Amino acid sequence: MKVRQWLKNTFLLTAILSLLPLTAFAAAPEVKTVPWVATNTLIPHDTYSGKAIFLKGTSDVQGANIKYIWDFGDGSPVATSTVSNQYIIEALHTYTGAVGTIFTATLTVQNTTTGETGSKNYFVRIQEKKLPVEVNIAIDEGLWTLHKAMSRSTSGGVIHGNWASWNGYFALQGANLNAFEVNGHLEDGPAYDPYTETVKRGMNTLFTYLSTEGTPLQALGNPDSNGNGFGIRVNQGNQYYQGGGMMDAIIASGTPDKLATTGPANVAGRKYKDIVQDMVDYYAYGQYDNASYGGWRYSTNEWPDNSACQWAAIGMIPAERNWGLTVPAWVKNANKNWLAYSQHPNGYFGYTDYNYIWLGPFATTASGMVQLVWNGIGRGTTAWDKAETFMRNNFDNTGGYGTYGMKPYNYYAMFSFTKSLLLHQPPITILHSTTGGVPDIDWYAAETAKGDPTNGIARTLVDAQASNGSWWSHSPIGQDAFETAWAIMMLKQTMFEAGAPVAVATATPNPGVAGQTINLSGSNSYHQDPTKTIVKWEWDLDNNLTNGFEATGPNVSKSWPAIGNYPVTLRVTDNNSPAKTADTTLTVVISIPPLAPTANAGGPYNFCPNKTWFLDGTKSSNPDNGQSEPGMPADFIKSYQWDLDGDNVFDDASSAQPDVTAFFSGKPLGQYLISLKVTDNTAASFPSSGFGDLSSTASAEVILKAATDPACNACTVLTARPKSGKVGLTWVKKATAASYNIYRSTVQGGPYIKIGTAPGSTIAYFDGAVTNGTTYYYVAREAGASGNEYCQSNEASAKPTL
């Protein structure tokens, strides 16, 4: 009876389901767009007006019934076609507009059979065409090239990916992965980042390229540092050329205790750091076993050459520095002897001895410098100074294939050279020669367009990039496939870190007038590695770094007494070991009225449920506020207009502190990018200038949080106590707070005005600017070291009385 009833119910259910449309069962396509910063989707991709760039996205479906639409967000016709490859949904587009304009492009993927769609935004900001911006664009396009070139497969339920079609060497796997990792795209990165899967596939395949081999006693000592009886090598010929780059990719993951899920026995299931230690041990085992010539070549215990030797060094440098792994002392001692033997009295390093130069001296000399760094031999030593002098004296070399001029036709050498200067402790920015009359040069950022004698590495690479985002045909003997990854790492100036610090500086107002206080902020600086933070902000305010930095902290102020353009450099330092730094330079313009106002959209805003949500543009500044031509009305900011939906039309709110609760209510939790446009009264205040009203724009992040989010329920508890002529505020101290910003309003729920800041070590604040008989409403917002707020307290009220 039960079976009969079950069959009857099943038949009925099947009949009902057959009448429903297909859309009732279809899942919307999962669409992803590539973020510029893996940890923050709201930081726009850089471009400059008139530059063609690729917009980059993926989907979880493909096929004849899957269509994509790229809406560029600038009013131009959309790009649409069939999704034939779910991992490559791109559109080449050229944006034009004023510096600072942000465009919100949208990728939509539709299943035309079911009608289901999925969409994701893609943000692009027009910047001034300067070398740092061009570098960012080059890296962005280069990574997309590597992503597109990956061959993807699945084996035993495990996803894999490789670049074997570009080159037969396994080391290419390590180089390409490293290029993603140093830009913050990691295998355990956020799911919304398409490159997270790319790196995960690549790492799964990388470990299958390794194998174990016994490491018996070497003539110079015991290579088996951990005593397990074996080492790990690349399972292919020329393993001593290939191993170092593979080690770098594993170390750049930033996860020493992560377990490998693929690979052969003694690889799969082991910690990354233990695998790298065995790779170090294999290099120790393979070193040429004569203490006078300690280097590497093609096979174990073979007479060295200075091309192969650098790869041993480049792998063991981060093994020691980043993960604290063991390199036997005798390995370094023997290598020092090899360096002494292979360096010519003129400073350059030879190939297999100091007289034999193959393919030019630049690659071998740069390789020697990498090994010097590994052995702790740097500036101030004869060996280093001679080598650096040789490279500086030949830095302008433009030789072709026959002489292998380093910059135009030997990226292998240029990559080695870049590694040596970045890994030198401290890193070297200015290349120096002891030869009289040879000027110092910024080896990375030099530009002939700025009066330098030659272009540096950055300008050389930016100008050589192909229109498809790759680099090719700048290296001898079949190394073309490595060029894109090498170029990306050289441009990033990072060798094997899981992302790097990024300095971001702003000035308000800018432009300004003579004698006016200019507020400088580095609070928007960030780190690409989510496990690292910015811990130091240093400011060069006189454009003379040789005198050191004049101010510290995320926010500083300065005034300039005369009209002019004043470069200001911000250097940020992270909490890495050793610490990493990043610089950026902005120009403060001091001029005469009329001047445009400087918009400040506030934020980042953390909006929690069951509260009123306000934006705050009151930090916007008008440098010539109150001024005018004789008899004309004073200049002031007369309008605050907000774009909340990313359509570049500022029509969604129109006050300095708008209530945006209704706009954002009901929207999905997550991050949103908003913009503020402020406009002044120039046309009426300075009619003879011929200017219309002047304006500027700024953007900010809005984060809609769940009620369970710590930012919504783990804030400090605020209490307000009235007294005559003042209100006492107390709160519960939180270990996570670097400071507390205190806000006040005369309206319950806000908007609030900031009235002060208290150090994170305090628990009280007194507000003496109050009137008896008036009720005041307060909130305290916890802020981090950068000054950015991440949490708001409860609202507390008090009514001071006599």
Side-chain angles (χ1 to χ4, degrees), residues 503-514:
V504 179
T506 60
T508 306
N510 192 21
V513 296

Side-chain angles (χ1 to χ4, degrees), residues 310-393:
Q310 66 161 314
W311 296 104
I314 193 61
M316 287 191 270
I317 288 173
E320 290 182 296
R321 290 186 186 178
N322 292 38
W323 284 3
L325 303 183
T326 300
V327 177
W330 54 265
V331 173
K332 287 190 174 184
N333 290 335
N335 184 242
K336 291 177 184 178
N337 294 334
W338 162 253
L339 292 172
Y341 168 78
S342 61
Q343 186 173 25
H344 192 275
N346 288 341
Y348 62 81
F349 285 86
Y351 182 55
T352 53
D353 61 53
Y354 70 78
N355 280 316
Y356 180 27
I357 303 299
W358 183 58
L359 299 179
F362 303 114
T364 52
T365 302
S367 170
M369 294 171 71
V370 173
Q371 295 170 74
L372 289 173
V373 169
W374 174 45
N375 286 288
I377 302 170
R379 269 190 174 170
T381 65
T382 300
W384 177 274
D385 290 347
K386 281 189 172 184
E388 183 180 346
T389 293
F390 175 81
M391 296 300 284
R392 170 61 192 98
N393 291 352

Side-chain angles (χ1 to χ4, degrees), residues 18-30:
S18 67
L19 299 176
L20 294 176
L22 288 175
T23 53
F25 311 101
E30 183 181 7

Side-chain angles (χ1 to χ4, degrees), residues 604-615 659-662 664-672 701-716 749 752 779-782 789-795:
Y605 298 97
N606 294 291
F607 289 165
C608 297
N610 303 318
K611 292 186 178 181
T612 305
W613 300 337
F614 291 93
L615 303 177
D659 181 342
V660 294
T661 310
F664 284 107
S665 292
K667 290 188 179 297
L669 302 180
Q671 296 175 300
Y672 296 85
E701 299 178 18
V702 168
I703 304 100
L704 302 186
K705 295 183 175 291
T708 56
D709 192 290
C712 296
N713 58 23
C715 296
T716 188
Y752 306 99
V779 294
R781 295 176 184 165
E782 299 173 29
E789 299 169 346
Y790 55 85
C791 191
Q792 179 172 298
S793 73
N794 59 292
E795 183 184 68

Side-chain angles (χ1 to χ4, degrees), residues 199-404:
V199 177
K200 180 63 176 176
R201 287 179 175 271
M203 291 296 286
N204 285 343
T205 298
L206 181 147
F207 289 112
T208 68
Y209 290 160
L210 305 178
S211 65
T212 59
E213 185 172 324
T215 52
L217 288 178
Q218 222 248 37
L220 302 181
N222 181 9
D224 191 9
S225 298
N226 55 15
N228 61 7
F230 62 85
I232 294 179
R233 68 177 181 89
V234 177
N235 189 22
Q236 196 179 47
N238 294 333
Q239 60 264 39
Y240 296 106
Y241 271 89
Q242 301 198 65
M246 302 285 263
M247 294 162 68
D248 287 352
I250 299 172
I251 295 169
S253 71
T255 53
D257 293 320
K258 185 178 176 63
L259 299 180
T261 57
T262 57
N266 295 316
V267 173
R270 298 183 65 209
K271 292 181 178 181
Y272 284 12
K273 66 181 180 182
D274 294 334
I275 294 170
V276 173
Q277 180 65 70
D278 281 325
M279 296 179 79
V280 171
D281 292 351
Y282 187 79
Y283 265 112
Y285 162 66
Q287 188 178 31
Y288 189 63
D289 57 3
N290 185 313
S292 298
Y293 313 102
W296 294 265
R297 201 171 187 182
Y298 306 119
S299 303
T300 300
N301 301 133
E302 186 176 359
W303 179 268
D305 76 56
N306 262 325
S307 180
C309 288
Q310 66 161 314
W311 296 104
I314 193 61
M316 287 191 270
I317 288 173
E320 290 182 296
R321 290 186 186 178
N322 292 38
W323 284 3
L325 303 183
T326 300
V327 177
W330 54 265
V331 173
K332 287 190 174 184
N333 290 335
N335 184 242
K336 291 177 184 178
N337 294 334
W338 162 253
L339 292 172
Y341 168 78
S342 61
Q343 186 173 25
H344 192 275
N346 288 341
Y348 62 81
F349 285 86
Y351 182 55
T352 53
D353 61 53
Y354 70 78
N355 280 316
Y356 180 27
I357 303 299
W358 183 58
L359 299 179
F362 303 114
T364 52
T365 302
S367 170
M369 294 171 71
V370 173
Q371 295 170 74
L372 289 173
V373 169
W374 174 45
N375 286 288
I377 302 170
R379 269 190 174 170
T381 65
T382 300
W384 177 274
D385 290 347
K386 281 189 172 184
E388 183 180 346
T389 293
F390 175 81
M391 296 300 284
R392 170 61 192 98
N393 291 352
N394 291 277
F395 190 66
D396 305 348
N397 186 302
T398 57
Y401 193 89
T403 56
Y404 292 103

